[in-house]
Every structure is written in C-alpha cells, then in structure tokens.
Amino acid sequence: AQSVAQPEDQVNVAEGNPLTVKCTYSVSGNPYLFWYVQYPNRGLQFLLKYITGDNLVKGSYGFEAEFNKSQTSFHLKKPSALVSDSALYFCAVRDTRYSGAGSYQLTFGKGTKLSVIP
Amino acid sequence: EADIYQTPRYLVIGTGKKITLECSQTMGHDKMYWYQQDPGMELHLIHYSYGVNSTEKGDLSSESTVSRIRTEHFPLTLESARPSHTSQYLCASSGLRNTGELFFGEGSRLTVL
C-alpha cells in the first residue's frame, strides 16, 4: 500500500522568507512523487514531479523539491515566499511496483495551507 | 495548461433533483477520475475509469454514478441530490506514460438546498 503524510495542516511564513512544506511517503517499490497547488475555488495545478534522476527537482513559480530516499521525504521549498503563493498544497505519490488494477492511482496527502504574510 | 473542462462550475439545486456534472478532456487520455473535496480539505477518490466502458468505484463510497462511453467524456450523475452531496467535485485525467501525473479541471461546486 502507498501513503503520504503532510504533517502540518498550516504553514505561516513572512513574505521574502524561505518556505518549506513537508511531505513524507511510504511505498513498496520506488516512488513517483508530485506536488500540486490549489487556489480558492479552483482545481489542482501541477507544480513539479520526481520520477528518477536528480534528487532536486525544479518546478513552476520558483518552487523546488528535494527527494530524500533515506528519509522517505519530498519537501517543497521556495527561497523567497510571495503573498501570491498563499494556497493549499498537496503532495502525492504513486508506487512504481504494480499491485493490481488500482496501481496507476495517485495517493494524495491531506493538504497543507500555506499563508504568506505581507 | 491542461485541456480538461468541467461544467457547470457552480450549481445550486433543490433536494431530490437529478444532476449531471460534465467532464471532457481533449488530450486523448485513457484514465479519468472523479474526486470529491470539501472546502479546504483533502481529496477523496470516488470514481475512476481506465478506458471506454470501464468504471470503478474509488476509496470513498458515493451515491453518484459515472459512465465512459467515449474516451474524452466522463460524466458524473446524482439521481436524487441531497444536502449531504454539497461539495466540490474535481475531474482529472492521466495519459499513456503511466507516471500517474494527473491533470485537473477547474471543479464543479455543487450546493444542494
């Protein structure tokens, strides 16, 4: 079974400061990992993904995430937060080990609300 | 930008009405999904389809039904809406590469009075 944990329901950060949104995962095989962002009354927008290769992945809007296999983590980071980054962030995982008809599905974390304070 | 469309974006209806939420994608994706999301909260998979004439129930039990007669179209129907069905419904699709990456529509926010 695959699972994702986002330990913080909310993260507050001052504008201009670095931000981190945490994510840990559990899979049987190797993971595909994703970050999505959701603005109010909108669908989820893809930010970045880790499939293989370099552990540091760069994505949209200046976000990046670091895959750490030993800690089973995939934390989202940005060097300097903007007020416009305030949104709901979801981490998701897919196990590459096939285990039946539902194997292609992503499992999402519960989401972390990011508030950037001016 | 993903080419997946949901209509209506907002719907307010009375109890007992039948509603259909439409979802269409123009990317030729074989896999499509419906998620239910309460405001500011986690996503729950309610239905998915891996191709035409294939539909499965997701992790969260739902009184809604889906159909997949055409690749690009994956409508969700509630035969008799109740206030407990009030929620945001998100449609998504994924393609042939099977990395699992999902493309989401903008959502349909349903309010049942």
Side-chain angles (χ1 to χ4, degrees):
Chain A
Q2 57 193 37
S3 65
V4 174
Q6 293 182 241
E8 301 155 318
D9 291 336
Q10 176 142 0
V11 170
N12 298 320
V13 63
E15 186 176 24
N17 282 3
L19 69 87
T20 299
V21 182
K22 296 180 180 177
C23 172
T24 59
Y25 66 89
S26 175
V27 294
S28 300
N30 293 314
Y32 291 157
L33 292 155
F34 306 84
W35 275 103
Y36 287 85
V37 60
Q38 185 180 33
Y39 298 101
N41 296 315
R42 303 292 296 275
L44 275 67
Q45 295 179 31
F46 170 78
L47 273 180
L48 52 80
K49 64 183 176 184
Y50 171 81
I51 302 299
T52 187
D54 194 347
N55 290 342
L56 184 63
V57 179
K58 294 187 182 297
S60 306
Y61 312 121
F63 284 94
E64 59 188 29
E66 186 167 13
F67 171 62
N68 187 316
K69 188 172 184 177
S70 63
Q71 297 185 6
T72 62
S73 67
F74 189 57
H75 301 330
L76 181 70
K77 299 181 179 184
K78 187 174 182 181
S80 178
L82 300 173
V83 173
S84 57
D85 293 330
S86 298
L88 193 57
Y89 290 81
F90 289 94
C91 182
V93 69
R94 193 210 129 189
D95 196 339
T96 59
R97 179 174 297 179
Y98 183 76
S99 59
S103 294
Y104 301 127
Q105 295 174 22
L106 295 190
T107 296
F108 285 88
K110 294 185 176 182
T112 298
K113 182 179 180 181
L114 173 68
S115 294
V116 181
I117 303 161
Chain B
E1 191 165 320
D3 296 320
I4 179 164
Y5 308 100
Q6 290 185 241
T7 57
R9 288 290 316 279
Y10 302 93
L11 180 62
V12 181
I13 59 168
T15 296
K17 299 291 186 183
K18 177 181 178 179
I19 65 106
T20 296
L21 304 181
E22 302 286 353
C23 177
S24 295
Q25 51 95 5
T26 59
M27 296 172 282
H29 287 171
D30 53 342
K31 301 175 187 62
M32 297 189 74
Y33 309 82
W34 277 103
Y35 288 85
Q36 184 173 342
Q37 183 187 31
D38 293 325
M41 295 183 68
E42 61 187 298
L43 301 165
H44 297 285
L45 180 68
I46 52 175
H47 298 284
Y48 63 97
S49 168
Y50 285 170
V52 171
N53 294 325
S54 156
T55 61
E56 300 288 344
K57 291 189 178 294
D59 304 324
L60 181 68
S61 176
S62 174
E63 294 169 344
S64 59
T65 60
V66 293
S67 62
R68 189 91 182 274
I69 299 173
R70 304 197 317 264
T71 299
E72 63 271 21
H73 196 212
F74 192 42
L76 180 146
T77 298
L78 276 167
E79 290 293 334
S80 179
R82 296 204 302 269
S84 60
H85 296 138
T86 295
S87 191
Q88 166 129 290
Y89 293 86
L90 294 171
C91 182
S93 70
S94 64
L96 300 176
R97 289 175 60 194
N98 289 336
T99 58
E101 179 181 343
L102 296 180
F103 297 87
F104 282 85
E106 293 289 2
S108 293
R109 181 166 295 283
L110 173 65
T111 301
V112 184
L113 303 176

